[in-house]
Amino acid sequence: DAEITQSPRHKITETGRQVTLACHQTWNHNNMFWYRQDLGHGLRLIHYSYGVQDTNKGEVSDGYSVSRSNTEDLPLTLESAASSQTSVYFCARPQTYQETQYFGPGTRLLVL
Amino acid sequence: GESVGLHLPTLSVQEGDNSIINCAYSNSASDYFIWYKQESGKGPQFIIDIRSNMDKRQGQRVTVLLNKTVKHLSLQIAATQPGDSAVYFCAENEAGGTSYGKLTFGQGTILTVHP
């Protein structure tokens, strides 16, 4: 299966800093998604993109932004990191069917 | 905000038993449902899916049942093995172009299989 990679895998930052999490896919799929995962909340959609220059807000988009300058990458930026953004972040792209997500390995972010 | 002390539902079974994991959904417009398995430190992994025009679908050792009347989804794992120990999530996708590929996830259930 084509890979979806995330970097860094672990990140510690301080409150107020800007942080960017990278997501790269090798399948050139138009659709890409960012989720965060917190205990007791499952995965929640942050932002998503249906193609180059297209970005959309998800359920928990406040404090986050994305940009899509090419098909392969959808970086997620925390404009001013807050402790409430300590979480595990997953990038995803469609799998066999358009509706099914294939997830990357995740980035664990700790905001102190 | 987030609640403190939330606990995921848990299911403990013996190796070889059958497991049933349940999920309730609330959006009657959802037309596609997926079960994911997530092992510690990894991303969710697709197990099986079902569309709303079906009420049952079988895979290898897994079966998904859909009851649209009561908005209930279940995952049955036959002859559960220790390697099945993980957190299991159900997810739903609402029909329509603006929701395409956007999944809403359930809270998750922890399955522990004892040898």
Side-chain angles (χ1 to χ4, degrees):
Chain A
D1 203 356
E3 283 196 14
I4 184 165
T5 57
Q6 295 184 234
S7 62
R9 294 295 312 279
H10 299 86
K11 175 77 175 178
I12 300 174
T13 191
E14 296 177 341
T15 301
R17 290 190 179 268
Q18 184 182 77
V19 176
T20 296
L21 309 183
C23 174
H24 179 82
Q25 53 125 350
T26 58
W27 214 17
N28 287 328
H29 204 289
N30 282 330
N31 301 355
M32 294 181 73
F33 304 83
W34 272 106
Y35 293 85
R36 63 177 285 175
Q37 183 175 33
D38 306 289
L39 188 63
H41 289 279
L43 283 87
R44 292 180 291 176
L45 183 64
I46 306 172
H47 280 285
Y48 59 101
S49 170
Y50 287 152
V52 176
Q53 302 302 330
D54 176 76
T55 61
N56 305 279
K57 294 181 178 180
E59 176 189 0
V60 289
S61 62
D62 287 349
Y64 303 94
S65 64
V66 292
S67 59
R68 191 85 182 274
S69 59
N70 58 57
T71 306
E72 296 83 4
D73 300 290
L74 186 69
L76 176 71
T77 298
L78 286 68
E79 303 294 345
S80 178
S83 57
S84 61
Q85 293 177 307
T86 292
S87 188
V88 182
Y89 292 85
F90 289 100
C91 182
R93 60 142 176 88
Q95 196 169 315
T96 306
Y97 301 111
Q98 295 282 14
E99 300 98 323
T100 307
Q101 303 294 336
Y102 176 80
F103 289 87
T107 294
R108 290 185 176 272
L109 177 67
L110 174 61
V111 182
L112 299 176
Chain B
E2 294 189 7
S3 300
V4 175
L6 272 179
H7 298 285
L8 293 180
T10 60
L11 176 65
S12 292
V13 300
Q14 290 295 127
E15 181 177 2
D17 287 351
N18 296 332
S19 302
I20 300 176
I21 300 171
N22 296 302
C23 177
Y25 66 94
S26 57
N27 188 353
S28 56
S30 293
D31 72 338
Y32 181 66
F33 304 87
I34 311 166
W35 279 101
Y36 284 93
K37 172 186 180 183
Q38 186 176 27
E39 297 174 298
S40 181
K42 297 183 179 180
Q45 179 184 6
F46 173 87
I47 302 174
I48 192 169
D49 60 356
I50 189 168
R51 296 196 179 275
S52 59
N53 61 352
M54 304 172 68
D55 53 20
K56 179 179 180 179
R57 188 160 189 234
Q58 290 183 296
Q60 188 175 11
R61 284 202 306 119
V62 294
T63 300
V64 56
L65 299 178
L66 176 63
N67 185 330
K68 295 181 287 295
T69 302
V70 295
K71 299 192 187 72
H72 184 267
L73 194 66
S74 68
L75 176 70
Q76 300 178 0
I77 305 173
T80 315
Q81 304 167 359
D84 294 327
S85 294
V87 180
Y88 289 81
F89 292 94
C90 63
E92 58 186 293
N93 183 215
E94 180 180 335
T98 59
S99 301
Y100 198 60
K102 290 165 52 184
L103 298 179
T104 300
F105 283 81
Q107 186 177 336
T109 296
I110 300 172
L111 174 65
T112 303
V113 182
H114 301 283

